[in-house]
Amino acid sequence: MRPEGDSFARFGYNMAPVRHKVANSTSPIFSYPYARTREELDQLYLHGELDAWDGVKLRYINPATGGWPMPTMATFMQFLPAGFQGKTYRSTDTTVFSVVEGRGMARIGSQQFQFGPRDTFVVPSWQPVQLAAVEEAVLFSYSDRPVQAALNLLREERL
């Protein structure tokens, strides 16, 4: 048994041991500390990485392969600055959002929902979605994107 922190020491800095052999497609680390993630979101925002649809959005990766942390699930964290009014998009992957912090609004199809910390909402496949932030908001999300991509079914449209 390896000591606590061993996986992060080996794989957590976008590097891997030279002779590491990928045993399976699941990430060797499953601890992605929020403080580091939030710091990276803030840094990207401060340096002008604001996307008109997503705000600042990062995808979690398997550091050994560069792919998704799990073969069937995509995971993301995104930052929406106060006053952000995102453009509408849609995608064939179904996405579950969990609000980490902040408040805002999600328009999904023809319905509008207010969100706040610890709220969860789902965007079904191919439904138009638009995100807005009343105050700084951070959203964690996950979807079936890797499966859709592997089956060549993934489609996206920025409206």
Side-chain angles (χ1 to χ4, degrees), residues 34 38 41 56 78-82 99-104 115 132-139:
Y34 179 68
R38 182 59 201 258
L41 289 168
V56 177
Q78 72 188 103
F79 171 77
L80 308 175
V99 183
V100 179
E101 58 182 273
R103 299 194 180 285
F115 63 74
V134 174
E135 60 190 46
E136 285 188 353
V138 178
L139 308 174

mmCIF file of all heavy atoms in Angstrom, residues 34 38 41 56 78-82 99-104 115 132-139:
data_model
loop_
_atom_site.group_PDB
_atom_site.id
_atom_site.type_symbol
_atom_site.label_atom_id
_atom_site.label_comp_id
_atom_site.label_asym_id
_atom_site.label_seq_id
_atom_site.Cartn_x
_atom_site.Cartn_y
_atom_site.Cartn_z
ATOM 1 N N TYR A 34 -10.141 21.591 -4.658
ATOM 2 C CA TYR A 34 -10.882 22.754 -5.126
ATOM 3 C C TYR A 34 -10.049 24.030 -5.069
ATOM 4 O O TYR A 34 -10.133 24.861 -5.976
ATOM 5 C CB TYR A 34 -12.178 22.927 -4.321
ATOM 6 C CG TYR A 34 -12.952 24.138 -4.760
ATOM 7 C CD1 TYR A 34 -13.551 24.175 -6.021
ATOM 8 C CD2 TYR A 34 -13.062 25.257 -3.951
ATOM 9 C CE1 TYR A 34 -14.251 25.288 -6.448
ATOM 10 C CE2 TYR A 34 -13.769 26.376 -4.367
ATOM 11 C CZ TYR A 34 -14.353 26.381 -5.615
ATOM 12 O OH TYR A 34 -15.042 27.497 -6.044
ATOM 13 N N ARG A 38 -9.853 26.460 -8.184
ATOM 14 C CA ARG A 38 -10.347 27.841 -8.116
ATOM 15 C C ARG A 38 -9.240 28.824 -8.458
ATOM 16 O O ARG A 38 -9.466 29.813 -9.161
ATOM 17 C CB ARG A 38 -10.931 28.122 -6.723
ATOM 18 C CG ARG A 38 -11.503 29.522 -6.571
ATOM 19 C CD ARG A 38 -12.636 29.771 -7.587
ATOM 20 N NE ARG A 38 -12.861 31.170 -7.814
ATOM 21 C CZ ARG A 38 -13.839 31.884 -7.295
ATOM 22 N NH1 ARG A 38 -14.720 31.318 -6.503
ATOM 23 N NH2 ARG A 38 -13.947 33.162 -7.560
ATOM 24 N N LEU A 41 -8.887 28.840 -12.230
ATOM 25 C CA LEU A 41 -10.004 29.574 -12.839
ATOM 26 C C LEU A 41 -9.793 31.076 -12.714
ATOM 27 O O LEU A 41 -9.971 31.823 -13.681
ATOM 28 C CB LEU A 41 -11.327 29.174 -12.178
ATOM 29 C CG LEU A 41 -11.847 27.770 -12.469
ATOM 30 C CD1 LEU A 41 -12.992 27.433 -11.525
ATOM 31 C CD2 LEU A 41 -12.274 27.618 -13.917
ATOM 32 N N VAL A 56 -15.168 30.912 -17.934
ATOM 33 C CA VAL A 56 -13.877 30.214 -17.888
ATOM 34 C C VAL A 56 -14.200 28.778 -17.519
ATOM 35 O O VAL A 56 -14.757 28.509 -16.455
ATOM 36 C CB VAL A 56 -12.921 30.823 -16.844
ATOM 37 C CG1 VAL A 56 -11.628 30.027 -16.777
ATOM 38 C CG2 VAL A 56 -12.638 32.283 -17.158
ATOM 39 N N GLN A 78 -16.291 25.411 -13.975
ATOM 40 C CA GLN A 78 -16.322 26.675 -14.693
ATOM 41 C C GLN A 78 -16.637 27.831 -13.776
ATOM 42 O O GLN A 78 -17.315 27.680 -12.762
ATOM 43 C CB GLN A 78 -17.262 26.625 -15.884
ATOM 44 C CG GLN A 78 -18.726 26.611 -15.585
ATOM 45 C CD GLN A 78 -19.529 26.363 -16.850
ATOM 46 O OE1 GLN A 78 -20.005 25.253 -17.054
ATOM 47 N NE2 GLN A 78 -19.695 27.372 -17.688
ATOM 48 N N PHE A 79 -16.118 28.986 -14.164
ATOM 49 C CA PHE A 79 -16.279 30.234 -13.427
ATOM 50 C C PHE A 79 -17.063 31.200 -14.287
ATOM 51 O O PHE A 79 -16.738 31.411 -15.455
ATOM 52 C CB PHE A 79 -14.901 30.818 -13.097
ATOM 53 C CG PHE A 79 -14.953 32.199 -12.524
ATOM 54 C CD1 PHE A 79 -15.320 32.404 -11.204
ATOM 55 C CD2 PHE A 79 -14.628 33.307 -13.297
ATOM 56 C CE1 PHE A 79 -15.369 33.687 -10.664
ATOM 57 C CE2 PHE A 79 -14.662 34.586 -12.776
ATOM 58 C CZ PHE A 79 -15.035 34.781 -11.453
ATOM 59 N N LEU A 80 -18.105 31.783 -13.702
ATOM 60 C CA LEU A 80 -18.891 32.822 -14.364
ATOM 61 C C LEU A 80 -18.742 34.086 -13.534
ATOM 62 O O LEU A 80 -19.172 34.119 -12.376
ATOM 63 C CB LEU A 80 -20.367 32.419 -14.442
ATOM 64 C CG LEU A 80 -20.692 31.046 -15.040
ATOM 65 C CD1 LEU A 80 -22.188 30.760 -14.937
ATOM 66 C CD2 LEU A 80 -20.213 30.955 -16.472
ATOM 67 N N PRO A 81 -18.114 35.140 -14.068
ATOM 68 C CA PRO A 81 -17.953 36.372 -13.286
ATOM 69 C C PRO A 81 -19.304 37.054 -13.050
ATOM 70 O O PRO A 81 -20.263 36.823 -13.796
ATOM 71 C CB PRO A 81 -17.039 37.233 -14.160
ATOM 72 C CG PRO A 81 -17.192 36.704 -15.535
ATOM 73 C CD PRO A 81 -17.546 35.250 -15.411
ATOM 74 N N ALA A 82 -19.381 37.878 -12.034
ATOM 75 C CA ALA A 82 -20.605 38.620 -11.735
ATOM 76 C C ALA A 82 -21.034 39.398 -12.979
ATOM 77 O O ALA A 82 -20.214 40.022 -13.656
ATOM 78 C CB ALA A 82 -20.362 39.572 -10.571
ATOM 79 N N VAL A 99 -23.853 23.529 -8.342
ATOM 80 C CA VAL A 99 -23.369 24.874 -8.044
ATOM 81 C C VAL A 99 -22.470 24.819 -6.806
ATOM 82 O O VAL A 99 -22.913 24.438 -5.725
ATOM 83 C CB VAL A 99 -24.537 25.849 -7.819
ATOM 84 C CG1 VAL A 99 -24.017 27.266 -7.575
ATOM 85 C CG2 VAL A 99 -25.499 25.818 -9.010
ATOM 86 N N VAL A 100 -21.216 25.195 -6.978
ATOM 87 C CA VAL A 100 -20.247 25.195 -5.881
ATOM 88 C C VAL A 100 -20.380 26.476 -5.083
ATOM 89 O O VAL A 100 -20.433 26.460 -3.855
ATOM 90 C CB VAL A 100 -18.807 25.032 -6.419
ATOM 91 C CG1 VAL A 100 -17.792 25.057 -5.285
ATOM 92 C CG2 VAL A 100 -18.676 23.763 -7.243
ATOM 93 N N GLU A 101 -20.440 27.598 -5.784
ATOM 94 C CA GLU A 101 -20.602 28.886 -5.111
ATOM 95 C C GLU A 101 -21.233 29.886 -6.064
ATOM 96 O O GLU A 101 -21.189 29.722 -7.278
ATOM 97 C CB GLU A 101 -19.270 29.404 -4.569
ATOM 98 C CG GLU A 101 -18.176 29.587 -5.602
ATOM 99 C CD GLU A 101 -16.855 30.051 -4.996
ATOM 100 O OE1 GLU A 101 -16.683 31.278 -4.854
ATOM 101 O OE2 GLU A 101 -16.018 29.194 -4.681
ATOM 102 N N GLY A 102 -21.838 30.909 -5.502
ATOM 103 C CA GLY A 102 -22.413 31.988 -6.300
ATOM 104 C C GLY A 102 -23.867 31.768 -6.656
ATOM 105 O O GLY A 102 -24.467 30.741 -6.336
ATOM 106 N N ARG A 103 -24.411 32.763 -7.350
ATOM 107 C CA ARG A 103 -25.820 32.732 -7.752
ATOM 108 C C ARG A 103 -25.942 33.162 -9.212
ATOM 109 O O ARG A 103 -25.152 33.948 -9.700
ATOM 110 C CB ARG A 103 -26.646 33.670 -6.883
ATOM 111 C CG ARG A 103 -26.603 33.302 -5.433
ATOM 112 C CD ARG A 103 -27.664 33.997 -4.605
ATOM 113 N NE ARG A 103 -27.549 33.577 -3.223
ATOM 114 C CZ ARG A 103 -27.944 32.390 -2.751
ATOM 115 N NH1 ARG A 103 -28.497 31.532 -3.557
ATOM 116 N NH2 ARG A 103 -27.796 32.084 -1.477
ATOM 117 N N GLY A 104 -26.965 32.613 -9.855
ATOM 118 C CA GLY A 104 -27.181 32.973 -11.239
ATOM 119 C C GLY A 104 -28.459 32.389 -11.784
ATOM 120 O O GLY A 104 -29.378 32.051 -11.027
ATOM 121 N N PHE A 115 -30.291 29.679 -9.695
ATOM 122 C CA PHE A 115 -29.475 28.719 -8.958
ATOM 123 C C PHE A 115 -28.629 29.413 -7.910
ATOM 124 O O PHE A 115 -28.343 30.603 -8.006
ATOM 125 C CB PHE A 115 -28.610 27.859 -9.891
ATOM 126 C CG PHE A 115 -27.579 28.602 -10.697
ATOM 127 C CD1 PHE A 115 -26.406 29.096 -10.117
ATOM 128 C CD2 PHE A 115 -27.738 28.783 -12.068
ATOM 129 C CE1 PHE A 115 -25.443 29.761 -10.861
ATOM 130 C CE2 PHE A 115 -26.783 29.442 -12.830
ATOM 131 C CZ PHE A 115 -25.626 29.936 -12.217
ATOM 132 N N ALA A 132 -26.084 32.482 -16.812
ATOM 133 C CA ALA A 132 -25.819 33.861 -16.419
ATOM 134 C C ALA A 132 -25.485 33.869 -14.932
ATOM 135 O O ALA A 132 -25.926 33.004 -14.178
ATOM 136 C CB ALA A 132 -27.034 34.736 -16.693
ATOM 137 N N ALA A 133 -24.696 34.856 -14.498
ATOM 138 C CA ALA A 133 -24.298 34.967 -13.096
ATOM 139 C C ALA A 133 -24.727 36.312 -12.531
ATOM 140 O O ALA A 133 -24.400 37.354 -13.090
ATOM 141 C CB ALA A 133 -22.790 34.793 -12.962
ATOM 142 N N VAL A 134 -25.426 36.285 -11.417
ATOM 143 C CA VAL A 134 -25.792 37.496 -10.694
ATOM 144 C C VAL A 134 -24.584 37.952 -9.884
ATOM 145 O O VAL A 134 -24.274 39.127 -9.803
ATOM 146 C CB VAL A 134 -26.998 37.232 -9.764
ATOM 147 C CG1 VAL A 134 -27.302 38.439 -8.898
ATOM 148 C CG2 VAL A 134 -28.207 36.827 -10.583
ATOM 149 N N GLU A 135 -23.896 36.980 -9.275
ATOM 150 C CA GLU A 135 -22.641 37.209 -8.573
ATOM 151 C C GLU A 135 -21.659 36.151 -9.060
ATOM 152 O O GLU A 135 -22.063 35.233 -9.767
ATOM 153 C CB GLU A 135 -22.848 37.115 -7.050
ATOM 154 C CG GLU A 135 -23.360 35.763 -6.593
ATOM 155 C CD GLU A 135 -23.790 35.750 -5.120
ATOM 156 O OE1 GLU A 135 -24.502 36.678 -4.706
ATOM 157 O OE2 GLU A 135 -23.406 34.808 -4.426
ATOM 158 N N GLU A 136 -20.378 36.289 -8.744
ATOM 159 C CA GLU A 136 -19.410 35.278 -9.172
ATOM 160 C C GLU A 136 -19.943 33.893 -8.850
ATOM 161 O O GLU A 136 -20.404 33.640 -7.737
ATOM 162 C CB GLU A 136 -18.073 35.468 -8.452
ATOM 163 C CG GLU A 136 -17.261 36.613 -8.955
ATOM 164 C CD GLU A 136 -15.868 36.636 -8.350
ATOM 165 O OE1 GLU A 136 -15.557 35.833 -7.438
ATOM 166 O OE2 GLU A 136 -15.075 37.466 -8.802
ATOM 167 N N ALA A 137 -19.894 32.999 -9.831
ATOM 168 C CA ALA A 137 -20.406 31.646 -9.635
ATOM 169 C C ALA A 137 -19.386 30.626 -10.141
ATOM 170 O O ALA A 137 -18.697 30.872 -11.132
ATOM 171 C CB ALA A 137 -21.738 31.473 -10.366
ATOM 172 N N VAL A 138 -19.322 29.506 -9.452
ATOM 173 C CA VAL A 138 -18.489 28.384 -9.871
ATOM 174 C C VAL A 138 -19.395 27.167 -9.971
ATOM 175 O O VAL A 138 -20.133 26.849 -9.037
ATOM 176 C CB VAL A 138 -17.328 28.119 -8.886
ATOM 177 C CG1 VAL A 138 -16.513 26.911 -9.333
ATOM 178 C CG2 VAL A 138 -16.431 29.347 -8.768
ATOM 179 N N LEU A 139 -19.358 26.504 -11.122
ATOM 180 C CA LEU A 139 -20.203 25.349 -11.389
ATOM 181 C C LEU A 139 -19.337 24.138 -11.703
ATOM 182 O O LEU A 139 -18.441 24.207 -12.547
ATOM 183 C CB LEU A 139 -21.119 25.612 -12.580
ATOM 184 C CG LEU A 139 -21.962 26.885 -12.563
ATOM 185 C CD1 LEU A 139 -22.684 27.048 -13.892
ATOM 186 C CD2 LEU A 139 -22.942 26.846 -11.421
#
